[in-house]
Amino acid sequence: MSGGLAGIAGLAVLPLPWPFEREYMQLALAAGLVIGICAPLIGTFLVQQRLSLMGDGIGHLALAGIAAGLLLEVWPVWSAMVVAAVGALSIEWLRSRRRATSDLALALWFYGGIAGGVVLASRSTGGSGAILPYLFGSILTVDRSEVLLVVLLGLGIVVAVAAFGRTLFAIVIDEESARVAGLPVGAGNALLAVLTAVTVVAAMQVVGVLLVAALMVLPVATSRNLARSFRGTLAGAAGIGAFAVVAGLAAARQWALAPGGSIVLVAAGTFAVVGVVGGRTGTRRTVLVEAPAPGTAPVTGRDPHEDHDHDHPGSGSG
Amino acid sequence: MTAAGATGPAVLAAHGVSFAYGADPAVTAVDLTVTPGEFVALVGPNGSGKSTLLRLLLGLLTPDAGTVELLGHPPRALRERWRVGYVPQRRILDLDVPATVTEVVASGRTARRGWWKPPRPADRAAVEHALDAVAIADLRRRPVGALSGGQQQRVLIARALVAEPTVLVLDEPIAGVDRESQRLFRDSLVHLVEHHDTAVLLVSHELGAVADDLDRVVVLQRRVRFDGPPSELAATGVHLGVHADDLPRWLEDLQA
Ligand SMILES: Nc1ncnc2c1ncn2[C@@H]1O[C@H](COP(=O)(O)OP(=O)(O)OP(=O)(O)O)[C@@H](O)[C@H]1O
Ligand SMILES: [Mg+2]
């Protein structure tokens, strides 16, 4: 990140080793690291809230926002931000009012967004091709002002997570109890929705709307399998996201691959490797269980009404 | 336990409360008050409306008829919400969270501290205290998803205790908890009631552990069928032992 900031400040190109010795790679690295760190931070809360595909739904809406901006001849980032934020809040509203299940609400925006984007873009001067750069991102051609925008949005996301993370945690693990305790559940959920929109728009030029959601989910899925604490899950997800950006950019440079896709493939590969090494398949949590502490009373009587479709890996044994 | 409980303003009150999810009423014309320092058990067969009544009392549901007061206020108007502690029925809460026991318990303190503030030493001390109260200090660094059902239940109890609430509402908190932990749980509830004047409203199918400590028992089957001291209920032949199998039979007789 500091490399990008130095670049923005107009300083000399930093003496970084291959593959980041060139200025365009340093700018790509700066923008990529911000997204690689921020997207999983937000994603950790979304995954816990069973809104893993939120980033995807918002991404498609942001695309419609881009197309609207091109048509109205306003800065597309602004129009995308407005449309994405309004869309995110409306998904949250539908979810909280139970007007629609979250996956139905997401599907609505997912398809409505991409259809709206294509239709709006076909009316603009560039034709539907004008939205293509936002579909797949163009991280290798970001300029300094774009990097600066990404860095500022990223800082906002990190500050918000640092300040409100504990409240968001209490809400995503048990919304009803958080409500009883008087936590601002509605405001917290709205904040999360807006942060998702900000992340998507910031990531649009870097990995593209089609792939930003992957960075919100894949590093989180990997980290959930490794970490024991929520704090550790957040840190691990951000670390894996950052690793995917560095390795993905290096691979893209070496073999002339599409950078956004390479970054996401590294994130997916990391998940697969951790899943295999962890010895489990599927999405089930792999929990590293320590030996039961002495004096821990074993459970004898279980609730006879309890449903049995959850099993608790390693409960009492290990 | 405390006769003084009969005086003072109610911490929880329902006046003629009715509620239906769809066409079928879940609770009908329920009157219930709990005063400071009172220890009240709410019992009834499955589907008798116990959880629904708790959700109404906590302001999570709005009654179709009647009114509810929480610490003397309509639930929406109450400011110090953290003074109400709530342990939800665990089987409707998915604890597959990548979080440690300490993190989950500490989350119960967020509202009391002020949600924008970082934890202070007093908050950390309260967490330690709550962990000890239900004897899960040994488990503090374990991920909650890796605990047994009974251990998870104790985590939820600690999360409610950590805010040091004025009134504690527990929905089947000791389901699946072993006898030794039930005893610990009883001791911590009795301590709260006696030394902190905390009012407790407890829904449970297993009242054996606390039967001697209760001020009142309320039997619910859509309506309030009984509201009085446990000895009076025992006099009708109903015992509050494990699963209180005689309760449904007694209710059937009442209706006949
Ligand atoms: N969310 C809901 N939607 C529709 N009906 C519901 C809902 N929750 C409960 N009910 C119905 O309301 C009635 C009372 O349910 P409630 O959960 O209050 O019972 P309970 O006494 O807590 O039972 P249990 O001992 O099984 O916990 C039941 O008939 C139940 O089917
Ligand atoms: Mg219930």
Side-chain angles (χ1 to χ4, degrees), chain A residues 302-311:
Chain A
R302 281 203 132 203
D303 181 0
H305 320 298
E306 185 174 300
D307 56 9
H308 286 279
D309 44 7
H310 299 289
D311 58 357

Side-chain angles (χ1 to χ4, degrees), chain B residues 51 89 171-172:
Chain B
S51 298
Q89 216 166 344
D171 200 347
E172 290 185 38

Side-chain angles (χ1 to χ4, degrees), chain A residues 2-285:
Chain A
S2 61
L5 286 170
I8 291 155
L11 300 179
V13 176
L14 292 179
L16 294 183
W18 184 95
F20 300 110
E21 78 280 12
R22 302 272 189 81
E23 187 186 9
Y24 80 94
M25 284 302 287
Q26 292 187 5
L27 290 173
L29 180 65
L33 281 180
V34 172
I35 301 307
I37 289 167
C38 290
L41 283 183
I42 299 303
T44 304
F45 294 98
L46 293 176
V47 168
Q48 190 59 43
Q49 220 170 15
R50 304 254 180 313
L51 285 173
S52 303
L53 295 179
M54 180 86 159
D56 241 319
I58 303 302
H60 287 67
L61 268 178
L63 206 59
I66 291 283
L70 293 172
L71 191 61
L72 300 172
E73 294 179 352
V74 298
W75 191 30
V77 171
W78 276 128
S79 51
M81 182 70 86
V82 169
V83 173
V86 170
L89 288 171
S90 72
I91 289 173
E92 174 49 34
W93 186 84
L94 287 169
R95 192 187 70 85
S96 65
R97 294 296 156 99
R98 298 209 171 85
R99 293 290 158 86
T101 58
S102 21
D103 63 333
L104 276 177
L106 284 171
L108 180 71
W109 287 137
F110 197 104
Y111 302 121
I114 195 143
V118 169
V119 168
L120 285 171
S122 69
R123 296 285 301 157
S124 75
T125 42
S128 6
I131 58 173
L132 277 181
Y134 299 97
L135 273 180
F136 299 108
S138 48
I139 189 170
L140 298 183
T141 59
V142 287
D143 62 28
R144 289 178 179 202
S145 64
E146 286 166 341
V147 173
L148 182 63
L149 176 74
V150 168
V151 168
L152 288 179
L153 292 177
L155 276 180
I157 290 166
V158 170
V159 167
V161 169
F164 307 118
R166 287 191 183 84
T167 302
L168 292 177
F169 171 68
I171 294 172
V172 297
I173 62 168
D174 185 358
E175 192 166 314
E176 195 165 278
S177 296
R179 212 178 278 283
V180 170
L183 287 175
V185 172
N189 281 328
L191 175 73
L192 195 53
V194 170
L195 288 176
T196 308
V198 171
T199 308
V200 166
V201 173
M204 221 164 42
Q205 291 162 317
V206 180
V207 288
V209 292
L210 287 184
L211 295 177
V212 53
L215 283 184
M216 288 190 166
V217 176
L218 294 177
V220 178
T222 312
S223 186
R224 279 172 70 99
N225 279 340
L226 293 173
R228 308 165 63 87
S229 66
F230 197 74
R231 191 180 278 268
T233 306
L234 280 170
I240 292 164
F243 164 74
V245 166
V246 173
L249 282 176
R253 176 99 192 269
Q254 174 69 24
W255 295 296
L257 307 173
S262 306
I263 292 170
V264 171
L265 280 180
V266 172
T270 312
F271 177 66
V273 167
V274 168
V276 169
V277 171
R280 306 267 180 109
T281 52
T283 55
R284 205 163 103 180
R285 258 171 71 60

